[in-house]
Amino acid sequence: GAGVSQSPRYKVTKRGQDVALRCDPISGHVSLYWYRQALGQGPEFLTYFNYEAQQDKSGLPNDRFSAERPEGSISTLTIQRTEQRDSAMYRCASSLGTSGSQQFFGPGTRLTVL
Amino acid sequence: AQSVSQHNHHVILSEAASLELGCNYSYGGTVNLFWYVQYPGQHLQLLLKYFSGDPLVKGIKGFEAEFIKSKFSFNLRKPSVQWSDTAEYFCAVNAGQTGANNLFFGTGTRLTVIP
């Protein structure tokens, strides 16, 4: 596609429910990144993939958060048993190369946990 | 651990005024430095980046930034702002040599330009 797309754009869920956020990177981009942005803050790194391999998941806050990219293209970030503190903008980015390449960001998914 | 500080949370300027947004980072090794901009209702977009070479980097829309290694700074400048520059600006850094590509962002500076 022309750019990084994310779905849904907005997600409202009740505490305790699981949510899955999807990211479709720019076609051919090797690396894919997930960030979380709380209100009034900058994006905070969660995890990233080169192709289908998860290279770094050090930013995932706890084991309720997981991500996958099984075919090296689309990625899903899953949050289990959501809590109100999970409410944030979740941003996905992709880059052409694996080192030092410019990251292109998607529009984000605004998650609200009631 | 790397960290990025942006000193100005909200800057209000009149059109044609000059702009300088501060950014300092904390990291002892080689770094790549970035400024991203988010216009209202739009995605984060890259304004400019520094990897190596000339420490004065020119980006899109007349923006530039200067890397001062001794001060661990990468301030963003524009000689004359326009109303359309109203946006949120984020400074970001990643480690230049380790191959780790994840970006560390500052908290952002909201710029409001008054016509």
Side-chain angles (χ1 to χ4, degrees):
Chain A
V4 178
S5 61
Q6 292 184 245
S7 61
R9 293 290 308 278
Y10 302 91
K11 177 70 178 178
V12 180
T13 191
K14 292 183 178 178
R15 190 161 49 101
Q17 297 294 306
D18 297 351
V19 295
L21 311 181
R22 172 184 163 127
C23 173
D24 197 345
I26 294 172
S27 178
H29 276 199
V30 168
S31 301
L32 184 148
Y33 310 81
W34 283 101
Y35 296 86
R36 177 171 70 172
Q37 186 174 9
L39 209 57
Q41 301 294 316
E44 177 188 23
F45 169 76
L46 295 177
T47 185
Y48 90 94
F49 295 82
N50 285 341
Y51 301 101
E52 71 282 358
Q54 192 170 21
Q55 298 294 316
D56 183 348
K57 54 181 182 178
S58 62
L60 296 176
N62 51 60
D63 60 8
R64 295 186 296 105
F65 287 73
S66 62
E68 62 174 9
R69 194 187 185 198
E71 297 177 0
S73 179
I74 293 168
S75 176
T76 303
L77 177 70
T78 301
I79 309 173
Q80 295 179 310
R81 306 180 303 282
T82 52
E83 301 177 6
Q84 285 186 325
R85 59 179 171 156
D86 300 334
S87 296
M89 176 73 82
Y90 288 82
R91 297 192 183 276
C92 176
S94 69
S95 66
L96 184 59
T98 59
S99 180
S101 300
Q102 177 183 340
Q103 295 183 23
F104 294 83
F105 282 82
T109 294
R110 169 75 65 189
L111 174 66
T112 302
V113 183
L114 302 175
Chain B
Q2 299 169 50
S3 67
V4 179
S5 299
Q6 292 183 244
H7 319 294
N8 315 102
H9 295 294
H10 190 191
V11 172
I12 302 172
L13 294 173
S14 297
E15 274 193 316
S18 65
L19 170 72
E20 180 159 3
L21 301 182
C23 172
N24 287 90
Y25 66 93
S26 170
Y27 183 68
T30 304
V31 292
N32 299 322
L33 296 155
F34 307 80
W35 275 98
Y36 279 84
V37 60
Q38 185 171 17
Y39 298 102
Q42 295 190 24
H43 311 177
L44 278 167
Q45 301 172 41
L46 183 68
L47 259 185
L48 47 78
K49 61 185 178 184
Y50 172 80
F51 283 5
S52 63
D54 188 344
L56 185 61
V57 179
K58 294 195 184 298
I60 60 172
K61 304 187 180 185
F63 286 90
E64 64 179 30
E66 185 175 12
F67 170 51
I68 303 180
K69 188 175 181 180
S70 61
K71 295 185 177 179
F72 296 89
S73 71
F74 190 56
N75 291 355
L76 181 71
R77 300 194 293 247
K78 185 171 184 178
S80 175
V81 295
Q82 301 173 310
W83 175 78
S84 57
D85 293 325
T86 294
E88 188 144 22
Y89 293 80
F90 294 93
C91 182
V93 61
N94 70 7
Q97 287 183 330
T98 66
N101 293 320
N102 45 297
L103 294 169
F104 291 85
F105 284 85
T107 54
T109 298
R110 185 153 61 100
L111 172 66
T112 300
V113 180
I114 301 170

